[in-house]
């Protein structure tokens, strides 16, 4: 237990010390929010979709959580390169605890980042429909964070170095974001696209956030929660297994 | 009975390259055992197998009577290690690194803080304890790695070139501390070094490994006798030859080699 806690704390401490990175990481979501939000807003409104900012804000929060959690998992590769990973791998602690500590730490950091983006959205004019929705929103944020931190850990444990990073970014993380319905509604899509979006775990995460914060959902909050919980368990198992196989 | 480390016909291959080639040895409880060999001989690889970081290709390995492959957790309970390569978290402070280690190794809070203070003072890092490790010099980082390695008292202590980059004062502290732990707590020590005088000073027995094979094993005196050498360094050179191993040969080493060839040519 203590090992899980201290490794969790390490992630949180490192995040809180990286002020420059935190500010830099606000850039991309802000760009989406401002440029797409105000650029596509009028078209969206005319098409009968209501306020685009209102629609997109949960998606942008989901994006921030996705990126932060995947990268915190992949940061395992930095620990491998700088050598700290060895220190945790030979410690008299079951590797599963090491993996859980790291993953929960990464998920927590992702939630902090998501909260920050949420505040930015509020400043930009986003308004949640009800106050009760906010805690539920955090539940979904946590589930997204755990799912993708576990995915990041699985990937980080399976690669030797940062060489595969571009590949992962372009063929996994960005597609997960773009196919999730963060930027467009999931109804009335072409069949093929609609099928793929259903396979994307983030679709359920963004949908859950939207259900909680704006009251409108595509799949429904319950289905979202069930799918996310299932995927989280599966990816945590995968991550634990990959992590237990690491050799240095 | 009595053997803390037992290795039999150990082989480790990376692809077709054989890094450890069928070695066997035993280290009894309470012994200080030195593993000497030129760069790339397979010392670190052997340590990684003993400490569950790598899996052997074939052969039997026992650490405190247990197989690191099947009893990873139990084996990890029994040893402490100072790595040859850096293993600190550079984005944490010195005390945070110590504390994290203490928690991972189940050292109770009070003992942890007391020992951390003693060790940080011993290795003259106390004034910098709250500075991030990335602001440390190479030698300071090395000292912190060593202080951290002594935070708990394991049954077996692995030291992979612990004195690399250390000043004489710290080297002295290190070996005094190792000796003390060995005598007071019967800690078995498995060390590697490129400094023959250190090996001679602290080790009960020495194994010389070259190209993944053990070429000699015994006390320093036995090795000297065997090779008719005056010093351990001469014995080492007689056993392993004087050619420099390709991979990690530094530029000054290469210069020395060229100079040697030149002299040889004129003779
Ligand atoms: N992961 C790896 N993949 C491929 N080859 C490796 C790997 N690790 C080590 N080797 C090779 O195995 C051999 C033994 O390496 P090892 O690190 O055990 O040497 P060493 O005796 O510790 O040397 P040094 O004194 O330089 O530390 C070297 O030739 C090295 O290149
Ligand atoms: Mg080595």
């Amino acid at each position: 237990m203590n090992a899980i806690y201290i490794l969790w704390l390490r992630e949180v401490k490192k995040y809180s010390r990286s002020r420059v990175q935190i500010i830099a990481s606000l850039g991309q979501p802000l760009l989406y929010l401002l440029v797409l939000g105000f650029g596509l807003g009028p078209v969206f409104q005319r098409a009968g979709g209501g306020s685009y900012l209102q629609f997109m804000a949960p998606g942008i929060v989901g994006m921030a959580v996705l990126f932060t959690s995947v990268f915190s998992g992949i940061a395992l590769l930095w620990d491998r390169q700088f050598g700290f990973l060895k220190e945790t791998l030979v410690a008299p602690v079951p590797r599963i605890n090491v993996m859980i500590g790291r993953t929960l730490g990464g998920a927590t950091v992702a939630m902090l980042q998501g909260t920050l983006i949420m505040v930015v959205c509020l400043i930009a004019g986003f308004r949640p429909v009800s106050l009760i929705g906010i805690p539920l929103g955090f539940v979904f944020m946590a589930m997204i964070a755990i799912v993708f931190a576990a995915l990041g850990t699985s990937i980080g444990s399976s690669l030797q170095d940062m060489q595969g990073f571009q590949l992962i970014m372009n063929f996994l993380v960005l597609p997960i974001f773009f196919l999730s319905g963060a930027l467009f509604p999931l109804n009335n899509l072409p069949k093929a696209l609609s099928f793929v979006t259903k396979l994307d775990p983030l679709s359920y995460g963004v949908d859950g956030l939207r259900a909680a914060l704006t009251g409108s959902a595509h799949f429904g909050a319950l289905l979202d929660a069930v799918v996310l919980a299932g995927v989280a368990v599966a990816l945590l198992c995968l991550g634990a297994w990959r992590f237990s196989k690491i050799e240095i | 009975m009595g053997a803390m480390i037992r290795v039999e016909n150990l082989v480790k291959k990376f692809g077709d390259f054989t890094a450890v080639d069928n070695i066997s040895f035993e280290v009894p409880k309470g012994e200080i055992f030195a593993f000497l060999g030129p760069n790339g001989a397979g010392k670190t690889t052997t340590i990684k197998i003993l400490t569950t970081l790598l899996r052997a290709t074939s052969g039997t390995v026992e650490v405190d009577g247990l197989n690191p492959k099947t009893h990873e957790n139990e084996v990890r309970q029994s040893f402490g290690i100072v790595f040859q390569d850096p293993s600190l978290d550079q984005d944490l402070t010195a005390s945070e690194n110590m504390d994290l280690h203490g928690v991972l190794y189940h050292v109770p809070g009070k003992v942890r803080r007391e020992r951390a203070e003693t060790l940080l003072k011993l290795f003259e890092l106390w004034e910098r304890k709250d500075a991030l490790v990335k602001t440390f010099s190479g030698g300071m980082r090395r000292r912190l790695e060593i202080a951290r390695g002594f935070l708990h008292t394991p049954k077996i202590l692995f030291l992979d070139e612990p004195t690399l980059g250390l000043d004489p004062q710290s080297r002295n502290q290190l070996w005094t501390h190792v000796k003390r732990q060995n005598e007071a707590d019967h800690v078995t020590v498995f060390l590697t070094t490129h400094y023959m005088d250190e090996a001679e000073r602290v080790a009960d027995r020495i194994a010389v490994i070259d190209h993944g094979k053990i070429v000699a094993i015994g006390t320093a005196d036995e090795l000297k006798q065997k090779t008719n050498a005056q010093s351990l360094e001469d014995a080492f050179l007689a056993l392993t030859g004087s050619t420099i191993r390709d991979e990690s040969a530094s530029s000054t080493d290469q210069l020395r080699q060229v100079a040697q060839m030149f002299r040889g040519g004129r003779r």
Side-chain angles (χ1 to χ4, degrees), chain A residues 2-3 6 10 13-14 17 82-84 86-95 244-245 247-248, chain B residues 48 51-55 73 76-77 83 85-89 91-92 96 101 103-106 132 148:
Chain A
N2 286 342
I6 198 89
R10 166 178 180 259
K13 267 189 189 159
K14 287 173 76 137
R17 281 176 197 169
F82 289 108
F84 178 74
K86 291 194 290 280
E87 155 82 356
T88 56
L89 291 184
V90 297
V93 171
R95 279 208 187 169
S244 74
K245 294 283 171 225
E247 290 189 62
I248 287 190
Chain B
K48 282 184 176 174
T51 55
T52 76
L53 280 175
L54 275 179
R55 287 182 184 81
N73 284 325
R76 287 185 196 130
Q77 303 276 354
F83 295 102
D85 308 320
S87 67
L88 298 165
D89 188 337
D91 295 322
L92 296 181
E96 283 168 343
H101 182 89
V103 172
L104 290 180
Y105 283 81
H106 315 296
L132 295 182
R148 190 182 65 175

Side-chain angles (χ1 to χ4, degrees), chain A residues 15 21-27 29 61 64-65 67-69 107-120 141:
Chain A
Y15 174 74
Q21 270 118 301
I22 296 176
I23 292 171
S25 67
L26 293 180
V61 172
V65 177
F67 285 6
T68 319
S69 53
T108 306
V109 165
M111 281 191 68
L112 292 174
Q113 187 73 12
T115 309
L116 210 59
I117 300 298
M118 175 79 95
V119 172
V120 172
M141 227 195 266

Side-chain angles (χ1 to χ4, degrees), chain B residues 14 17 19 37-46 84 160-161 194 247-248:
Chain B
F14 295 106
F17 177 76
N39 291 141
K43 304 180 295 292
T44 300
T45 305
T46 307
Q84 177 179 355
D160 196 354
E161 295 190 33
H194 288 297
E247 44 230 318
S248 324

Side-chain angles (χ1 to χ4, degrees), chain A residues 48-102:
Chain A
S51 155
Y52 189 51
L53 180 70
Q54 201 70 9
F55 173 82
M56 187 181 61
I60 298 303
V61 172
M63 172 182 88
V65 177
L66 165 75
F67 285 6
T68 319
S69 53
V70 171
F71 294 155
S72 75
I74 295 183
L76 191 95
L77 290 171
W78 290 120
D79 282 343
R80 192 186 185 112
Q81 190 160 338
F82 289 108
F84 178 74
L85 187 62
K86 291 194 290 280
E87 155 82 356
T88 56
L89 291 184
V90 297
V93 171
R95 279 208 187 169
I96 178 124
N97 292 4
V98 177
M99 180 268 177
I100 290 174
R102 295 187 66 105

